[in-house]
């Protein structure tokens, strides 16, 4: 990760705006990630100032009575015509049936291309509403308003949208960049602890794949992070967003081998989520187990020493994240993994660590070694 001085990165005071610029495209597709405290209260005037006069808020029903109400009031105060559609919480909502219900609801509201979609909630709503925005009327403007940690540090940035099929996670979707991302750190104050912990798995991921200094910072600030110290939380959100922006700007569509590193732990994680049934594990919990498996696989392949596996596992455990999976038939998991978007002609490919802060894509791994890791990491 090219950065002149890794230590000058953090301690972002009370909000910041991180630009995401696509070098080879028109400026129209560039956008900013605005990070602040209490900024949902001014979302209406912020988005109205971009010439938007009508919005449809698509909100996770768990946040519908809090953050979505704050947004709705802010839009109405700014004179923006506002409708709200609620979506049931949980991974099961990332389905074709839920997408169809949203398409039909948008049609019945006579939504046209000047209407913006505002996705308020976690990764599920962001992915689903983003996909519906990408497809309805051949494409509507969308703003991502992530209210969970997993969405603030990862899924709301970078334009990946999609839904699941029974046979595989995120198998149907589109790259559809938002017009902006509005991250209110205060939304995390009321997040259930399991959800907050799930986001910390993606945070650890950023240290493992790109930034050893950040990884060490996480190790030394565990308590503050667990207690949701506002400065610590803002530091982790802004650091992860900057790291992600750096990757997405260079490889928007996961074509050059750079963006694929963001999938560290995800091949195992998606297989476990699919095999367990969507919604049994939170996405970050599955990513935590997946990163442990990926590191153990790297160790078996002689790429890293055991102490790297231990440091990662210790950090994940400090955040109360699971590091072992329920026992599944390894052949079933291998079948699911062969359908993963990173697989080529059924050959398994995994993002594996070379050290803390650096990973690479490894091809054609012997299935028997993968099976050994799956068996050793289950309980
Ligand atoms: N969450 C992985 C990516 O956005 O590429």
């Amino acid at each position: 990760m090219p950065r002149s001085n890794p230590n000058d990165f953090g301690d972002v005071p009370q909000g910041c705006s991180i630009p995401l610029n696509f070098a080879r495209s028109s400026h129209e597709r560039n956008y900013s990630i605005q990070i602040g405290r209490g900024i949902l209260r001014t979302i209406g005037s912020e988005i109205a100032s971009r010439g938007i006069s009508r919005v449809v808020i698509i909100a996770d029903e768990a946040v519908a009575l809090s953050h979505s109400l704050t947004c709705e009031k802010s839009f109405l105060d700014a004179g923006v015509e506002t409708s709200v559609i609620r979506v049931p919480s949980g991974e099961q909502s990332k389905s074709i049936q839920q997408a169809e219900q949203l398409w039909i609801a948008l049609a019945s509201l006579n939504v046209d291309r000047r209407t913006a979609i505002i996705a308020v909630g976690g990764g599920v709503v962001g992915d689903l509403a983003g996909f519906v925005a990408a497809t309805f009327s051949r494409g509507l403007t969308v703003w991502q308003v992530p209210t969970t940690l997993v969405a603030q540090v990862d899924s709301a940035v970078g334009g990946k949208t999609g839904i699941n099929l029974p046979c595989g996670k995120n198998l149907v979707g589109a790259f559809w960049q938002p017009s902006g991302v509005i991250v209110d750190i205060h939304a995390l104050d009321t997040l259930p602890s399991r959800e907050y912990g799930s986001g910390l798995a993606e945070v650890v991921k950023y240290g493992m794949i790109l930034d050893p200094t950040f990884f060490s910072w996480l190790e030394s600030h565990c308590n503050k992070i667990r207690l949701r110290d506002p400065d610590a939380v803002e530091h982790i959100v802004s650091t992860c967003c900057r790291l992600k922006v750096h990757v997405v700007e260079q490889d928007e569509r996961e074509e050059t081998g750079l963006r694929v590193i963001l999938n560290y732990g995800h091949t195992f994680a998606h297989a476990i989520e699919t095999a367990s049934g969507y919604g049994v594990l939170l996405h970050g919990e599955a990513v935590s187990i997946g990163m442990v498996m990926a590191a153990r696989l790297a160790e078996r392949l002689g790429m890293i020493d055991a102490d790297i596996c231990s440091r990662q596992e210790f950090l994940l455990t400090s955040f109360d994240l699971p590091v072992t999976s329920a026992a599944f038939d390894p052949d079933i998991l291998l079948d699911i993994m062969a359908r993963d978007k990173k697989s080529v002609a059924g050959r398994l490919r995994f993002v594996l660590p070379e050290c803390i802060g650096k990973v690479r894509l490894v091809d054609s791994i012997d299935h028997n070694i993968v099976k050994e890791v799956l068996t050793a990491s289950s309980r």
Side-chain angles (χ1 to χ4, degrees), residues 167-241:
C167 61
K169 224 179 116 89
N170 295 338
L171 280 183
V172 177
F175 287 97
W176 190 249
Q177 296 297 340
S179 297
V181 183
I182 297 188
V183 179
D184 192 337
I185 302 289
H186 279 173
L188 303 181
D189 293 349
T190 50
L191 198 63
S193 32
R194 200 175 152 206
E195 285 274 359
Y196 180 71
S198 165
L200 291 175
E202 296 281 2
V203 173
V204 172
K205 177 190 86 175
Y206 279 98
M208 279 298 292
I209 64 174
L210 284 166
D211 195 332
T213 307
F214 182 51
F215 190 92
S216 303
W217 185 89
L218 294 172
E219 289 178 314
S220 56
H221 290 77
C222 256
N223 269 344
K224 281 193 165 186
I225 295 167
R226 283 168 57 98
L227 293 171
R228 306 189 201 187
D229 171 87
D231 291 337
V233 172
E234 190 162 331
H235 179 61
I236 60 181
V237 172
S238 60
T239 302
C240 294
C241 286

Side-chain angles (χ1 to χ4, degrees), residues 154-155 157-158 160 202 205 244 248 254 259 262-263 266:
D154 191 64
S155 60
V157 174
K160 277 192 181 175
E202 296 281 2
K205 177 190 86 175
K244 182 150 190 187
V248 171
E254 210 166 294
R259 185 165 181 167
L262 300 178
N263 294 315
H266 282 59

Side-chain angles (χ1 to χ4, degrees), residues 88-379:
S89 306
E91 191 68 34
Q92 295 91 333
S93 281
K94 271 178 64 175
S95 65
I96 190 70
Q97 293 79 10
Q98 190 62 53
E100 184 183 24
Q101 282 186 33
L102 289 174
W103 288 320
I104 292 168
L106 294 180
S108 66
L109 288 168
N110 291 321
V111 159
D112 61 27
R113 283 192 178 152
R114 286 164 302 173
T115 307
I117 300 296
I118 313 293
V120 182
V124 167
V125 156
D127 284 7
L128 172 70
F131 176 65
V132 166
T135 46
F136 189 83
S137 232
R138 298 207 177 89
L140 300 175
T141 300
V142 61
W143 257 269
Q144 292 286 351
V145 185
T147 59
T148 64
L149 186 59
V150 92
Q152 294 192 347
V153 298
D154 191 64
S155 60
V157 174
K160 277 192 181 175
T161 73
I163 54 173
N164 303 324
L165 296 182
C167 61
K169 224 179 116 89
N170 295 338
L171 280 183
V172 177
F175 287 97
W176 190 249
Q177 296 297 340
S179 297
V181 183
I182 297 188
V183 179
D184 192 337
I185 302 289
H186 279 173
L188 303 181
D189 293 349
T190 50
L191 198 63
S193 32
R194 200 175 152 206
E195 285 274 359
Y196 180 71
S198 165
L200 291 175
E202 296 281 2
V203 173
V204 172
K205 177 190 86 175
Y206 279 98
M208 279 298 292
I209 64 174
L210 284 166
D211 195 332
T213 307
F214 182 51
F215 190 92
S216 303
W217 185 89
L218 294 172
E219 289 178 314
S220 56
H221 290 77
C222 256
N223 269 344
K224 281 193 165 186
I225 295 167
R226 283 168 57 98
L227 293 171
R228 306 189 201 187
D229 171 87
D231 291 337
V233 172
E234 190 162 331
H235 179 61
I236 60 181
V237 172
S238 60
T239 302
C240 294
C241 286
R242 280 175 208 274
L243 290 167
K244 182 150 190 187
V245 160
H246 180 79
V247 169
V248 171
E249 281 180 340
Q250 296 174 75
D251 184 17
E252 180 187 1
R253 292 180 167 255
E254 210 166 294
E255 288 162 338
T256 70
L258 180 56
R259 185 165 181 167
V260 76
I261 66 172
L262 300 178
N263 294 315
Y264 172 54
H266 282 59
T267 305
F268 285 114
H270 286 173
I272 293 165
E273 284 180 275
T274 306
S276 335
Y278 298 128
V280 173
L281 283 171
L282 296 177
H283 176 60
E285 293 171 338
V287 168
S288 173
I289 298 166
M291 291 193 295
V292 169
M293 290 176 169
R296 288 191 183 164
L297 180 55
E299 186 195 354
R300 279 187 196 234
L301 295 172
M303 291 172 62
I304 56 169
D305 293 333
D307 69 303
I308 294 185
C309 295
S310 307
R311 267 179 80 186
Q312 180 186 251
E313 257 173 75
F314 188 77
L315 187 55
L316 293 167
T317 312
S318 312
F319 292 144
D320 298 325
L321 282 158
V323 291
T324 52
S325 156
F328 295 106
D329 179 345
D331 287 315
I332 292 179
L333 293 180
L334 280 169
D335 266 5
I336 299 171
M337 287 193 267
R339 283 193 293 271
D340 185 89
K341 295 188 291 309
K342 281 181 299 309
S343 301
V344 175
R347 283 198 327 270
L348 296 180
R349 306 197 310 164
F350 291 92
V351 177
L352 300 181
E354 295 184 298
C355 57
I356 289 179
K358 189 157 186 262
V359 288
R360 77 179 153 91
L361 189 61
V362 182
D363 210 337
S364 301
I365 296 175
D366 182 342
H367 284 204
N368 289 322
I369 300 181
V370 179
K371 276 195 205 177
E372 280 168 27
V373 168
L374 288 169
T375 308
S377 311
S378 57
R379 58 192 130 78

